[in-house]
Amino acid sequence: PEKKAKKSDCGEWQWSVCVPTNGDCGLGTREGTRTGAECKQTTKTQKCKIPCNWKKQFGAECKYQFQAWGECDLNTALKTRTGNLKRALHNADCQKTVTISKPCGKLTKPKPQGKFHLLGAAR
């Protein structure tokens, strides 16, 4: 007869956010805790990494898939785009949808046809 595996009375690991070793992204650590009267280990530290190309303003452990930039709003000189949650690392609490804005940059105006070229042709 097979021995039944003893069920652990330990709770699930609850992880803190990843804290980078240097700066605001890259390698770092996170702290894990769990409960249980007979639990041998209730805390531990784990290595983690925050990708430097993620939009950290929405949480360093939240990854979004962004749509294309919208048209420039001439009143605000900003363009916006929306991102939908793609992945949340380590059960991070992430917003489902986020919106970001940025300056439009140089507004491209149609260049006037060269006056000098036209004047030269008239002669």
Side-chain angles (χ1 to χ4, degrees):
E2 294 180 27
K3 291 183 179 180
K4 289 186 179 180
K6 182 181 176 184
K7 286 192 174 184
S8 172
D9 71 335
C10 299
E12 293 288 320
W13 284 104
Q14 299 295 318
W15 294 98
S16 69
V17 295
C18 186
V19 178
T21 306
N22 292 312
D24 62 356
C25 63
L27 296 176
T29 57
R30 76 174 71 255
E31 300 293 322
T33 59
R34 65 178 176 179
T35 57
E38 301 292 320
C39 230
K40 290 183 180 178
Q41 187 178 17
T42 56
T43 62
K44 67 179 176 179
T45 301
Q46 182 183 72
K47 290 182 180 180
C48 58
K49 183 177 180 182
I50 297 175
C52 292
N53 62 342
W54 286 25
K55 299 287 183 201
K56 288 174 268 314
Q57 72 191 74
F58 303 118
E61 297 180 336
C62 305
K63 176 73 172 174
Y64 294 91
Q65 179 71 48
F66 284 91
Q67 300 170 353
W69 286 103
E71 293 294 318
C72 183
D73 181 338
L74 297 177
N75 294 323
T76 62
L78 296 173
K79 54 185 173 180
T80 61
R81 68 178 179 171
T82 303
N84 295 313
L85 183 63
K86 185 175 178 182
R87 186 167 35 144
L89 295 180
H90 303 285
N91 301 320
D93 186 19
C94 302
Q95 298 176 56
K96 298 283 184 210
T97 310
V98 293
T99 303
I100 57 174
S101 300
K102 74 174 185 178
C104 297
K106 292 182 180 177
L107 297 177
T108 55
K109 295 180 182 175
K111 292 183 179 180
Q113 296 300 320
K115 293 179 189 176
F116 301 109
H117 183 68
L118 292 175
L119 291 175
R123 290 186 182 178

